[in-house]
Amino acid sequence: MYIWAVSSLNHCKVHIKQIFENNRAWVKSKLQKDPGYFKKLSDGQHPKILYIGCSDSRVSAEELMGAAPGEVFVHRNIANMVPNTDLNVMSVINYAVRYLKVQHVVVCGHYFCGGVKAAMQQTDMGLLNPWLRNIRDVYRLHLDELNAIPGEEDRYKRLVELNVQEQCVNIIKTAVIQKAYKERNVRVHGWVFDIRTGVLRDLHIDFDRILQHIMQIYR
Ligand code: CO
């Protein structure tokens, strides 16, 4: 994969007025390395990975993976959720798997996620309440394990991991993934990004076991 090399962009403060200036500098640096760069981009996309992550501004999907434009199909929302009734995320999964033929679907959560934190608290978040309720469902599913963790930060981190796992389960429940698994061995992965260290962790979700378990009920 391409390693992000446009360092001048990373150090800029992205003031709204500066964005177009940054963009021109970026175009220039791309064209210097490859005059046909944008022509090739416009020819079409063939990403191998669908990445579903949090909208958090600190978790920059492509940059933390060292991925270039065209390499990853990205969907982001608050707390990297995959509710089965959300037409937005379900459309993204369907399009990426059926038409773009991605080989991997990734749910990437992150420690210190504001969405997960909000779901652990009693605060009334208005319009966000039904969205956060999906995370509270994860808490309820794993209540015994979470309540047995003494430290609040450890409990918070574990809920982030369990939320990733449950969103992976939601993906594996979908017909499009079960079909793509049978046809061409599409895989689902659960990752966590640690904002404090910058390190990306694979949770090693047991995809095959979850799939077997789920297909008894959701096939
Ligand atoms: Co977050």
Side-chain angles (χ1 to χ4, degrees), residues 54 56 110 113-114:
C54 185
D56 193 303
H110 67 99
C113 179

Side-chain angles (χ1 to χ4, degrees), residues 54-56 58-59 77-80 110 112-116:
C54 185
S55 297
D56 193 303
R58 301 164 296 177
V59 189
N77 61 34
I78 292 173
N80 41 269
H110 67 99
F112 312 106
C113 179
V116 172

